[in-house]
Amino acid sequence: MPDLRAADLHAPAVRAALEGLGLGRVEVLDEVGSTNQHLGDAVAARTPDGGPPWTDLSLVVTGHQSAGRGRLDRVWTTEPGTALTFSVLLRPADRHGRPVADRHLPWLTLLMAEAVVEALEDLAGAGARIKWPNDVLVDGRKIAGVLASLVPGPVPAIVLGTGINVAQEELPVATATSLRRATGRDLARPDVLVAVLGAFVPVYRQFCADPAAATGAGGPLRTRVAGRMETLGRPVRAELPGGHGPLTGTAVGLGEHGGLLLRDRGDAEHEVTAGDVVHLRHAPGRAPGPGPAGTV
Ligand code: BT5
């Protein structure tokens, strides 16, 4: 019996809409462990598999992801048929065909989060916001997460995976929400996919053309992402990787390479480039404590 978990994504009209966006190879899978793993393995194999080559902006999307991954060995959990889980392959190169320098690559996660926010706004007026470095929140709850993985090679490629909670009633953690839960609206997964990629592709092209100009001080993409960030202007606690103590302060901006600029109580500025951020409640005159959604 055919597996119908991805019947909506297999529809010819969806393929036509995706093709209209100028993507590379498009693969729709009924079910897979992890789209990031699948795409990364396929690209790293570098052996022809009979299909088209894995060019820039190739896509793997699945009806159900059974072993989804988060950062730092965490998991991404979804019910069959209710969530959007997909990965795009990126081979970012500037207008002269030169690979974009590694230092700019952290922006890609934020640019995908930005595309998700714009799509959810357009489709459902969801009022979504970005939480540094890789979450999208609605009403302070996580509706989407982005995971970037590097595919080693002569010119490294990036697999950018995105999970968006669309129709779940039950969520795997209390800090999560779905479009159905947050907006009461039942959106079709393919519409969300096409809207997100439709928002991402032009932003990605703008980034690649001149990453330093797009994301440097006053650059249009840095300004755009900063304007959508829930994190900025808030007291936060940054949990740093590698056993370094947490940093507490106010998030004051985005750095040149997508890091979070944090000003501590002594007015010293730090740039956090990796780790988790906890949004703290504004509490004038008191040490900041976690807010209602402070542990997202
Ligand atoms: C992320 O990690 O948020 C990245 C999620 C990326 C998922 C996509 S789906 C397609 C592609 N293929 C993959 O295998 N992954 C990518 P992180 O910031 O580490 O957050 C992980 C945490 O989010 C977990 O520890 C849970 O607390 C929470 N979580 C798990 N499933 C969730 C869900 N469906 N909705 C909201 N939160 C969830």
Side-chain angles (χ1 to χ4, degrees), residues 32-38 60 62 65 67-79 83-87 131 133-136 141-149 159-165 168 170-178 275-276 295-296:
V32 72
S34 154
T35 56
N36 264 36
Q37 180 79 41
H38 177 88
V60 171
T62 186
Q65 183 174 252
R69 298 182 172 185
R71 293 176 301 144
L72 308 168
D73 290 332
R74 292 188 288 231
V75 295
W76 186 257
T77 312
T78 49
E79 289 295 309
L84 192 54
T85 44
F86 65 94
S87 298
K131 175 169 177 279
N134 69 319
D135 291 348
V136 176
R141 292 176 191 278
K142 184 162 172 170
I143 201 161
V146 182
L147 176 69
S149 331
V159 169
L160 200 58
T162 307
I164 305 175
N165 299 325
Q168 293 103 313
E170 302 290 324
L171 279 307
V173 287
T175 50
T177 192
S178 65
D276 283 304
T295 53
V296 172

Side-chain angles (χ1 to χ4, degrees), residues 23-165:
L23 305 179
R25 176 169 171 176
V26 172
E27 198 166 283
V28 181
L29 305 172
D30 291 321
E31 178 172 340
V32 72
S34 154
T35 56
N36 264 36
Q37 180 79 41
H38 177 88
L39 182 53
D41 287 350
V43 172
R46 274 182 267 138
T47 45
D49 62 358
W54 294 105
T55 50
D56 191 31
L57 285 167
S58 288
L59 168 72
V60 171
V61 59
T62 186
H64 176 51
Q65 183 174 252
S66 55
R69 298 182 172 185
R71 293 176 301 144
L72 308 168
D73 290 332
R74 292 188 288 231
V75 295
W76 186 257
T77 312
T78 49
E79 289 295 309
T82 60
L84 192 54
T85 44
F86 65 94
S87 298
V88 285
L89 176 73
L90 303 176
R91 300 184 184 279
D94 69 13
R95 55 168 76 97
H96 307 291
R98 288 185 299 244
V100 167
D102 289 357
R103 63 182 183 279
H104 296 298
L105 301 182
W107 278 103
L108 293 170
T109 300
L110 288 167
L111 296 182
M112 181 57 86
E114 166 70 16
V116 173
V117 164
E118 288 180 17
L120 298 190
E121 194 54 44
D122 287 354
L123 290 173
R129 307 280 293 163
I130 302 171
K131 175 169 177 279
W132 190 91
N134 69 319
D135 291 348
V136 176
L137 309 181
V138 172
D139 300 332
R141 292 176 191 278
K142 184 162 172 170
I143 201 161
V146 182
L147 176 69
S149 331
L150 207 62
V151 186
V155 179
I158 297 96
V159 169
L160 200 58
T162 307
I164 305 175
N165 299 325

Side-chain angles (χ1 to χ4, degrees), residues 2 96 137 211-212 225 240 269 288:
H96 307 291
L137 309 181
V225 171
L240 308 177
E269 200 167 283

